[in-house]
Amino acid sequence: MDCLFCKIIAGEIPGDIVYEDDKVLAFNDINPVAPYHILVVPKKHYESILDVNAEDMDIIAHIHKVINIIANEKAQNGFRIINNCGADGGQEVKHIHFHVLAGKKLPMYEKDAK
Ligand code: AMP
Ligand code: ZN
């Protein structure tokens, strides 16, 4: 499959990895929009949350367990989790991923853009 994040998971493309276990990989975003910008991805390919069936939904809890660990270390002052889904959601890489942003007061966006 021609998927950028599957290639990073497989080690075919280098990733700046900050956490790894048997189910999840977390790495620094190549184009950070905050001092701390990591992407947390399941090793199994799902395009988006719409692709995760009920039996597999534990992976979403596991991803948040990983976010808990890394944010506890790096983002005690607060952070934001973003999961862009599909075209209208602005998803560019079609392998589900959770952005974790921290390290500055983050600007609001959608909330103010009526
Ligand atoms: P999204 O727009 O939610 O699909 O986010 C995709 C993210 O992947 C963007 O923030 C990109 O900067 C990031 N990205 C693209 N290529 C790479 C890469 N090779 N390594 C790390 N992050 C990447
Ligand atoms: Zn993939």
Side-chain angles (χ1 to χ4, degrees), residues 36 70-80 101-106:
Y36 186 66
I70 55 187
N72 248 320
E73 283 174 13
K74 305 276 188 188
Q76 285 286 345
N77 211 39
F79 57 97
R80 183 173 298 153
L101 303 176
K104 69 173 185 183
K105 177 87 175 136
L106 298 162

Side-chain angles (χ1 to χ4, degrees), residues 27-43:
F27 47 93
N28 285 311
D29 196 292
I30 205 165
N31 186 22
V33 300
Y36 186 66
H37 185 169
I38 67 147
L39 302 172
V40 185
V41 310
K43 288 187 171 177

